[in-house]
Amino acid sequence: QVQLVESGGGLVQPGGSLRLSCAASEIIFSINFMGWYRQAPGKERDLVAQLSSRGNTYYEHSVQGRFTISRDTAKNTVYLQMDSLKPEDTAVYYCHFSDFGGRDYWGQGIQVTVSS
């Protein structure tokens, strides 16, 4: 079974940067969307950034201009560059892929904590 493995999380001070990576354990054919969600304590899991197979991007309003999503298609890897981090960005971040067959793939989640 395909697994998504996230890396790059941790503790950072406000204003700092982190780069999250998510790699699939096997090649996934016909990927439609690659993206990142996050879930803060007591809140729902929300979409943060997404990249379509056509290269279209979506960013949640609060991260526009600070986060950048990118991919390495050959490696089935997606990245999230997070700059100018704020305490309200603290959450567990989840990688998500979906394919044209309607299948969803989720990472196990990685903690990002922004605190001084």
Side-chain angles (χ1 to χ4, degrees), residues 2-5 21-32 34 70-79 95-97 99 105:
V2 176
Q3 294 182 334
L4 301 186
V5 180
S21 300
C22 173
S25 60
E26 303 173 19
I27 294 296
I28 302 174
F29 296 99
S30 300
I31 291 178
N32 190 8
M34 306 169 85
S70 61
R71 67 187 174 191
D72 184 331
T73 304
K75 296 181 179 179
N76 269 191
T77 300
V78 65
Y79 306 96
C95 173
H96 173 257
F97 290 6
D99 65 21
Y105 306 85

Side-chain angles (χ1 to χ4, degrees), residues 36-49:
W36 293 91
Y37 287 70
R38 68 185 178 186
Q39 187 169 20
K43 296 188 177 181
E44 295 186 352
R45 188 177 299 186
D46 293 323
L47 179 62
V48 176

Side-chain angles (χ1 to χ4, degrees), residues 27-114:
I27 294 296
I28 302 174
F29 296 99
S30 300
I31 291 178
N32 190 8
F33 292 101
M34 306 169 85
W36 293 91
Y37 287 70
R38 68 185 178 186
Q39 187 169 20
K43 296 188 177 181
E44 295 186 352
R45 188 177 299 186
D46 293 323
L47 179 62
V48 176
Q50 193 175 65
L51 184 58
S52 77
S53 59
R54 294 186 176 186
N56 297 319
T57 56
Y58 163 84
Y59 294 98
E60 193 270 329
H61 178 73
S62 69
V63 308
Q64 288 179 357
R66 301 188 297 121
F67 290 12
T68 304
I69 189 169
S70 61
R71 67 187 174 191
D72 184 331
T73 304
K75 296 181 179 179
N76 269 191
T77 300
V78 65
Y79 306 96
L80 186 67
Q81 177 67 40
M82 305 186 292
D83 299 319
S84 302
L85 282 161
K86 304 176 181 180
E88 50 263 44
D89 295 318
T90 296
V92 177
Y93 283 70
Y94 296 89
C95 173
H96 173 257
F97 290 6
S98 62
D99 65 21
F100 284 98
R103 283 177 290 270
D104 291 302
Y105 306 85
W106 289 95
Q108 78 283 0
I110 191 165
Q111 179 69 45
V112 170
T113 302
V114 184

